[in-house]
Amino acid sequence: MTITNRSSKTPQAPGRFRLPDIPEREPDEVTQYDQLFHRGLSNSLRVHLGNYDTTLVGADHWIAPEADFDRRRARYPDLLVAFGVDPEAYRASNGYIVSEQGKAPDFVLEVASESTGEVDVGPKRDYYESLGILEYWRFDETGEHHGAKLAGDVLVEGRYEPIEIEELAGGVLQGYSRALNLNLRWEDGRLVFRDPGTGKPITTLESERQGRIQAEARADTAEARASSEREARIQAEARARELEEELRWLRGVEGGSP
């Protein structure tokens, strides 16, 4: 894999340390795009969590303990969430520097692919644990690369312990993220974030689009119903006028008879 040359980027402010770009991704890592970005799930999570000034939802950037960056050891997650941090510093540094932010991220997630599966369950888990990242989640569409379709760890006294994953009806798998206050689900090979309070998925581009389609269908139905009612009313009024004309004619005939 090749490393993008930092010097090819826009010049940085004098004295400002920036992490290098991550390596080019392997072709099979399209699973990350499919699960997190194709349906707008990562952005939907950012919108759901809110507090843009202090809440960071990031992806595809290194996490390093300090500015003294060791690329041989550092890792970059498919999804990162950190509360009470400086998103602008993250962008300026081209990644997450724990010493700069004053804390480790609260949540990271990796999406499985053949080329990354072993690293996700081994070296990455150890690295995230050493940084003190509160929760580390793994999602595997097939379960072939992580050994499980959905798994999570939570930091307890400096060590990761498994988060309980329950199996629901229809083969759905679910685990609760205390860091996000959301349920993570494996549903028919798709990653879904659900609000435990409502039981509904967080709003995504896909659900918004579906909602608009349904709203338009309801509007069309309502308009068709209103149009039908208007037509029925017009016909009823026309019939009433006809009856009135007939009644006047009959009265005229009766009044003019000997």
Side-chain angles (χ1 to χ4, degrees), residues 42-93:
S42 59
N43 186 64
S44 297
L45 179 62
R46 176 176 179 268
V47 173
H48 177 82
L49 296 175
N51 299 318
Y52 301 147
D53 291 339
T54 59
T55 297
L56 169 66
V57 177
D60 285 346
H61 287 78
W62 297 101
I63 302 177
E66 297 178 352
D68 185 12
F69 174 69
D70 183 355
R71 187 181 304 157
R72 295 168 300 178
R73 182 168 178 265
R75 306 290 174 182
Y76 49 91
D78 291 331
L79 184 66
L80 172 157
V81 178
F83 300 102
V85 296
D86 184 356
E88 286 301 324
Y90 173 80
R91 286 184 277 272
S93 296

Side-chain angles (χ1 to χ4, degrees), residues 3-12 18-21 71:
I3 304 294
T4 303
N5 190 330
R6 210 169 20 132
S7 61
S8 65
K9 294 294 183 181
T10 302
Q12 65 193 55
R18 282 175 57 85
L19 295 168
D21 292 334
R71 187 181 304 157

Side-chain angles (χ1 to χ4, degrees), residues 138-151:
R138 296 169 297 285
F139 178 88
D140 189 339
E141 180 179 340
T142 64
E144 297 176 358
H145 308 304
H146 286 166
K149 295 176 179 177
L150 180 67

Side-chain angles (χ1 to χ4, degrees), residues 34 37 61 67 71 129 147 160 188 226 238:
D34 290 343
F37 307 123
H61 287 78
R71 187 181 304 157
E129 181 184 70
Y160 275 147
D188 295 324

Side-chain angles (χ1 to χ4, degrees), residues 1-5 21-30 60 62 71-72 74-76 78 113-117 119-120 124:
M1 294 187 291
T2 60
I3 304 294
T4 303
N5 190 330
D21 292 334
I22 64 170
E24 293 181 359
R25 285 189 171 273
E26 297 293 339
D28 71 319
E29 292 185 70
V30 69
D60 285 346
W62 297 101
R71 187 181 304 157
R72 295 168 300 178
R75 306 290 174 182
Y76 49 91
D78 291 331
S113 64
E114 184 177 1
S115 62
T116 65
V119 175
D120 291 345
K124 278 194 174 181

Side-chain angles (χ1 to χ4, degrees), residues 224-258:
R225 185 183 299 113
S227 177
S228 178
E229 291 173 350
R230 283 195 301 270
E231 183 64 26
R233 186 170 60 253
I234 291 171
Q235 292 177 359
E237 291 171 351
R239 180 56 180 159
R241 286 193 296 271
E242 290 176 0
L243 291 173
E244 289 177 0
E245 290 294 331
E246 291 177 6
L247 182 58
R248 280 196 294 270
W249 181 82
L250 288 172
R251 287 173 178 171
V253 169
E254 292 173 354
S257 60

